[in-house]
Amino acid sequence: MRYRFPLPRCVAGGLAACLATAGLLAAPALAAPRSPDADRAVTASRTTHHPVPPITGPTAGANERPALRGRPRGVAQLPPLSAKNPPTSSTAAARQKDGAKHGAAASCTPSDFGSRTGSELVTFVQASTTDCVNTLFSVTGKDAHDVFREDQMVTIAHAFQSGATAYPGDNSGNVLQLVLFLRAGYYVQSNHQDDVGDYGPTLAAASQGGLDAFLSNSHSKDVTSGNGDVLSEVIILTDSANEQARYLNVYKQVLSGYNSSYDDIPSMLAAVNDVYTPLWRGNWNPDYVKAVTADPSIVDTLNTFALDHLDMLGTDNSYLDSNAGMNVARYVEHPALKDKVRPLMKGLLDASKITGPTAPLWVTVASQADAYDQAN
């Protein structure tokens, strides 16, 4: 299945020029800047050496901040895009309530977390605002070890499982703070492993327990602002914990569950878009690639989403559709999936154009063909 690309002006300058023309080269609003270590990381099993995208940094409340800018990325490493003007999450209002409830002057330093263990740590994390927990994404050195050593993470993961079992569909039980702590720990450990130390099977099992409990709770499927705030962070946690293969069915359910009722709930739109993060980064996880190869139905789910929601293109929600197409095309790198993915890519290209409102879909699909199937 060969792709026959027309050559309008931007293509003459390469796909990067097209991406720039379409406004798609901006760093995503919810991603942290790339670290040199992450840029160098590759998996030994890959025949082409594209850098592993870094674990996603702080996101809760990020929609209220200007887009974070990393250094420019090559087409092959473009992650899923966030909204050009990201919707404001109701997390902002929740943080204000938290601040009033717990006191705006409450102490929030790394030592406040690193000096506590067990139930005392859990209580402190849950009593903290999400803004406070977000500051932990930047800790390094001894602070990183004290706050995020494995036994601290296991303690919070067990608390997350307990809170997730009784999750009522919003953050009234302060489970979001536990999720953010875990995400921050994985993020810091991935960038500063020498500071934090190793993470092993004990933490993996504890994290799986918490994620399983949350995602099996019927309230995790509530289409509400309160659930969207928490669900979006939990979805990113599945990626931070490198559990993309385990939750493939969850990602399919979230994508298939989307309908127009989500459009008035920014945090639910964010949750749908956050599915693209583990689907994208999972391509560097051998267990995930093995799972998708054994059951490639996620590719069909993404393709159906892209084709069923072409009307999003040219609107504020355009990124949801183009990200689905980008993820379909991303699988073309894997030899066992080429024959399945190539016709789907061609179908998406035929359903869109390089200019006009459908350009975001065309260009993102073409960028993956250029990066991962260039000989074809």
Side-chain angles (χ1 to χ4, degrees):
M1 182 67 63
R2 298 202 175 270
Y3 322 106
R4 298 184 182 277
F5 297 145
L7 291 174
R9 186 174 303 169
C10 69
V11 172
L15 276 167
C18 292
L19 287 164
T21 300
L24 299 179
L25 276 178
L30 302 186
R34 294 167 69 88
S35 70
D37 289 343
D39 281 336
R40 289 193 293 269
V42 294
T43 54
S45 63
R46 295 172 56 79
T47 56
T48 56
H49 297 289
H50 297 291
V52 180
I55 289 177
T56 303
T59 63
N63 288 335
E64 290 79 58
R65 298 194 299 270
L68 296 172
R69 301 286 178 177
R71 58 179 183 273
R73 306 181 186 196
V75 171
Q77 289 77 48
L78 280 175
L81 303 171
S82 297
K84 184 176 181 181
N85 296 301
T88 300
S89 169
S90 60
T91 302
R95 289 202 319 274
Q96 291 177 356
K97 287 183 180 179
D98 285 345
K101 180 179 178 180
H102 301 297
S107 180
C108 180
T109 67
S111 63
D112 288 325
F113 295 89
S115 63
R116 290 173 165 85
T117 60
S119 60
E120 186 182 3
L121 173 64
V122 173
T123 299
F124 188 81
V125 171
Q126 292 190 285
S128 299
T129 65
T130 54
D131 271 349
C132 173
V133 181
N134 266 335
T135 66
L136 299 178
F137 281 84
S138 63
V139 299
T140 58
K142 185 177 184 299
D143 285 337
H145 173 266
D146 292 347
V147 176
F148 292 126
R149 61 188 184 273
E150 185 175 37
D151 58 344
Q152 297 283 78
M153 289 284 283
V154 170
T155 293
I156 297 300
H158 285 154
F160 171 42
Q161 180 174 357
S162 178
T165 300
Y167 175 65
D170 57 33
N171 195 40
S172 56
N174 297 92
V175 72
L176 177 58
Q177 285 89 327
L178 301 173
V179 175
L180 284 173
F181 183 97
L182 293 171
R183 285 196 50 239
Y186 281 114
Y187 178 82
V188 171
Q189 197 266 353
S190 71
N191 286 285
H192 305 284
Q193 185 173 353
D194 289 344
D195 292 342
V196 177
D198 294 334
Y199 287 168
T202 301
L203 176 57
S207 293
Q208 289 170 2
L211 290 166
D212 287 352
F214 182 90
L215 295 167
S216 63
N217 185 314
S218 61
H219 287 295
S220 70
K221 300 173 180 62
D222 291 352
V223 182
T224 64
S225 180
N227 179 53
D229 288 337
V230 183
L231 176 62
S232 60
E233 298 295 332
V234 171
I235 288 171
I236 296 178
L237 178 59
T238 67
D239 180 71
S240 302
N242 219 32
E243 296 287 354
Q244 303 95 338
R246 188 180 184 90
Y247 299 107
L248 269 172
N249 284 334
V250 170
Y251 308 146
K252 288 189 287 187
Q253 290 167 7
V254 173
L255 289 170
S256 299
Y258 166 81
N259 59 53
S260 59
S261 70
Y262 287 42
D263 294 347
D264 294 327
I265 309 175
S267 64
M268 288 302 299
L269 292 177
V272 175
N273 194 54
D274 284 333
V275 166
Y276 299 125
T277 295
L279 293 181
W280 180 263
R281 289 189 70 256
N283 287 285
W284 283 264
N285 180 346
D287 290 339
Y288 172 85
V289 175
K290 182 179 178 180
V292 174
T293 301
D295 176 10
S297 58
I298 184 63
V299 185
D300 296 313
T301 299
L302 287 160
N303 187 63
T304 297
F305 188 99
L307 292 175
D308 283 355
H309 301 295
L310 292 172
D311 57 338
M312 288 181 173
L313 298 170
T315 74
D316 289 342
N317 295 339
S318 182
Y319 62 99
L320 287 174
D321 191 78
S322 61
N323 281 341
M326 176 185 279
N327 274 275
V328 169
R330 176 63 187 81
Y331 294 109
V332 78
E333 179 191 18
H334 308 299
L337 296 174
K338 284 185 186 294
D339 289 345
K340 179 178 182 64
V341 174
R342 281 173 173 163
L344 301 182
M345 294 171 70
K346 182 64 165 56
L348 293 173
L349 290 168
D350 289 344
S352 56
K353 296 181 180 180
I354 195 169
T355 58
T358 62
L361 176 61
W362 194 100
V363 173
T364 54
V365 173
S367 73
Q368 302 313 295
D370 182 58
Y372 295 105
D373 200 24
Q374 193 173 61
N376 195 43

